[in-house]
Amino acid sequence: MDIRFESHDVFDPNQPDEAKLPFRLANSVHARTKQKVIARELFFSVGDPFNDALLRELERNLRRLSFIRKAEVVGVDTSSGAVVIVRTWDAWTMEIITKFKRAGGVNDTKFGLADRNLFGYGKTASLVHSQSGHVIDRTFAYRDPQLFGERLDLDLSGGESNDARHYALSLGKQFYASITRTSIRALGRYVDEKFPLYDGEA
């Protein structure tokens, strides 16, 4: 069995409705998913026996990825043997976060950036800064579902405000297919909060 990959941008320039300048500019800004990111989702290799059930399972797994809007996995018989074609269409993953509100003489603002397919490597990252009056809050998050090219899922998040800091880390290996035999996860969390104390007579 041989394996071939076909990747597509978010918008299809061959479609009249998506061939316009805004869609072409969006494609140029978007980083297309790297082939090795899709290849690491496979649970079979070149030379393995053809297994239609595993092809269907792979297709379902690819569709569940937040940075893939459409996926097809098909098997084709050729004169040189079976060929599996993995086709993927990217989703738009970049988000600009903005918010402004004024109520009761207090300004509430929020701005940040998030991407669910950072540089086309299938990793998620976000940075957000928010302020309500004198209270400032900064948060970040990062997720790598294929740490070191393996099926290790890393989740890292944290934040700081005027009176608190919090950080969390999660590392594990999940059930990703019917052939998976083990799953394990380790969690860690750090919280530092300041509580005002009142010392006086009632």
Side-chain angles (χ1 to χ4, degrees), residues 86-188:
V86 181
R87 300 188 182 102
T88 55
W89 288 259
D90 279 6
W92 183 260
T93 58
M94 185 181 297
E95 179 184 3
I96 299 175
I97 302 166
T98 59
K99 175 186 175 183
F100 177 79
K101 181 178 73 173
R102 181 174 176 82
V106 177
N107 292 335
D108 284 346
T109 60
K110 178 184 288 187
F111 59 89
L113 188 65
D115 197 333
R116 301 190 308 277
N117 192 11
L118 194 63
F119 304 121
Y121 286 99
K123 308 176 194 308
T124 299
S126 65
L127 285 170
V128 179
H129 174 99
S130 59
Q131 183 170 352
S132 178
H134 298 293
V135 179
I136 298 174
D137 188 35
R138 302 182 184 92
T139 61
F140 72 90
Y142 177 78
R143 180 173 181 243
D144 185 350
Q146 298 177 339
L147 186 64
F148 306 130
E150 302 294 334
R151 291 190 178 275
L152 293 174
D153 186 2
L154 170 70
D155 261 307
L156 181 64
S157 63
E160 294 185 358
S161 61
N162 297 48
D163 300 316
R165 292 181 296 168
H166 59 91
Y167 305 100
L169 184 147
S170 170
L171 181 64
K173 184 177 181 181
Q174 301 181 3
F175 288 106
Y176 59 88
S178 58
I179 59 174
T180 309
R181 297 184 179 277
T182 58
S183 175
I184 187 171
R185 179 163 294 275
L187 305 172

Side-chain angles (χ1 to χ4, degrees), residues 25-38:
L25 289 175
N27 277 343
S28 66
V29 172
H30 171 78
R32 190 184 299 185
T33 303
K34 309 295 183 185
Q35 179 177 307
K36 63 181 180 180
V37 174
I38 302 300

Side-chain angles (χ1 to χ4, degrees), residues 182-197:
T182 58
S183 175
I184 187 171
R185 179 163 294 275
L187 305 172
R189 185 173 177 85
Y190 171 82
V191 179
D192 180 12
E193 294 184 272
K194 298 177 182 178
F195 296 96
L197 298 177

